[in-house]
Amino acid sequence: MASTAEVERYLSEALAIGQFKDYGPNGLQVEGRGELRRLISGVTASRALIDAAVDAGADALLVHHGLFWRGQDGRLTGWLRQRLAPLFAHDINLCAYHLPLDAHPLWGNNAGLGACFGWQADQRFGEQQLGFAAALPQPQTLEALQQQLRQGLGRDVIALPGDGRALRRVAWCTGGAQGYFESAIAAGADVFVTGEISEPQAHLARETGVAFVAAGHHATERYGVQLLGAHLAERFGLEHRFIDLPNPA
Ligand SMILES: [Zn+2]
């Protein structure tokens, strides 16, 4: 058991939240009870995940995608009221860590995705140094990498060929980081792996010869909360369970 305040203080420091310019607040977003025993983690603070946390008897819910994104107008009405009501009714804390949890070298989404595929980052790149890059354990074709990602992530992935070169260096950034493709190219990657694709990346891949892979926003961002949840469980003697709710995006 641990106090909510103590865990929040620890996370603020361990994840260096003050060092990031982010799209929403990092840390405790909805305050619940002051003592924690059971921690539930998941990717996004959706109504379905909050309901699952209630069913699981959670004292706190740890997510990567929280609430109150830049551009939201702040009114707690309609779907947002309905989403939050069970947290208040059951006194559950909601803790969200966005970019700090993409970036963390041990517990972050990028670190976790890399570990899953044997990519040991030897380089960081891009805005706020969120991108990771590594030499592949051995040179491989795009088809082989695509197959490996399909198997590891349990879903189809979109792969755009570059100039057909053997892939030696991989750059990656989980989630909606398609805008990092150019900085990945500048960092010397042969292939860039992220969650999503938008229209411009197809042209950039053709014109620069660097391959591009979109492997799913949700699928690539399931690592951070699991790694962090396991760490908190050990450090503070909590129970922890990750709940994965399918998302095709
Ligand atoms: Zn994301």
Side-chain angles (χ1 to χ4, degrees):
M1 198 160 86
S3 91
T4 306
E6 183 190 2
V7 173
E8 195 200 11
R9 262 197 312 276
Y10 172 74
L11 286 174
S12 299
E13 194 167 320
L15 296 173
I17 64 170
Q19 290 179 21
F20 293 87
K21 266 190 240 131
D22 212 330
Y23 305 92
N26 285 296
L28 188 62
Q29 293 192 335
V30 176
E31 188 178 355
R33 59 183 65 111
E35 297 285 336
L36 306 180
R37 273 175 222 276
R38 188 170 295 170
L39 176 68
I40 295 294
S41 64
V43 177
T44 299
S46 62
R47 174 79 192 268
L49 182 65
I50 288 169
D51 287 345
V54 170
D55 290 345
D59 300 310
L61 178 58
L62 172 70
V63 297
H64 179 53
H65 299 140
L67 307 163
F68 315 117
W69 299 99
R70 199 159 61 199
Q72 252 182 2
D73 72 9
R75 280 178 284 193
L76 300 181
T77 56
W79 62 268
L80 188 51
R81 174 194 177 272
Q82 286 174 21
R83 209 185 251 203
L84 295 180
L87 292 177
F88 290 117
H90 297 271
D91 215 11
I92 298 172
N93 296 280
L94 174 67
C95 305
Y97 296 92
H98 185 234
L99 299 183
L101 194 54
D102 289 318
H104 195 275
L106 292 177
W107 313 314
N109 284 316
N110 284 323
L113 184 74
C116 198
F117 295 101
W119 309 335
Q120 286 199 348
D122 55 22
Q123 186 187 4
R124 301 281 292 260
F125 69 93
E127 214 190 308
Q128 303 192 65
Q129 298 290 297
L130 291 176
F132 283 44
L136 286 165
Q138 58 213 19
Q140 62 183 151
T141 63
L142 181 61
E143 292 68 33
L145 179 69
Q146 187 178 10
Q147 186 54 27
Q148 198 188 358
L149 286 165
R150 269 195 200 117
Q151 273 173 4
L153 296 172
R155 55 163 285 149
D156 202 10
V157 307
I158 299 169
L160 301 172
D163 53 17
R165 69 181 85 155
L167 308 177
R168 293 170 201 282
R169 286 198 64 77
V170 59
W172 71 99
C173 194
T174 60
Q178 59 268 54
Y180 279 58
F181 189 23
E182 247 189 292
S183 46
I185 294 164
D190 298 311
V191 59
F192 178 57
V193 178
T194 185
E196 297 186 22
I197 181 169
S198 307
E199 198 269 356
Q201 283 85 50
H203 306 291
L204 262 185
R206 286 181 201 129
E207 292 167 24
T208 64
V210 175
F212 180 92
V213 178
H217 189 137
H218 173 87
T220 57
E221 296 208 310
R222 289 175 294 191
Y223 302 96
V225 289
Q226 293 188 68
L227 293 165
L228 188 58
H231 170 71
L232 292 175
E234 199 185 301
R235 181 167 176 114
F236 292 101
L238 309 175
E239 288 171 40
H240 166 243
R241 183 154 66 90
F242 171 68
I243 297 181
D244 192 22
L245 299 175
N247 185 332

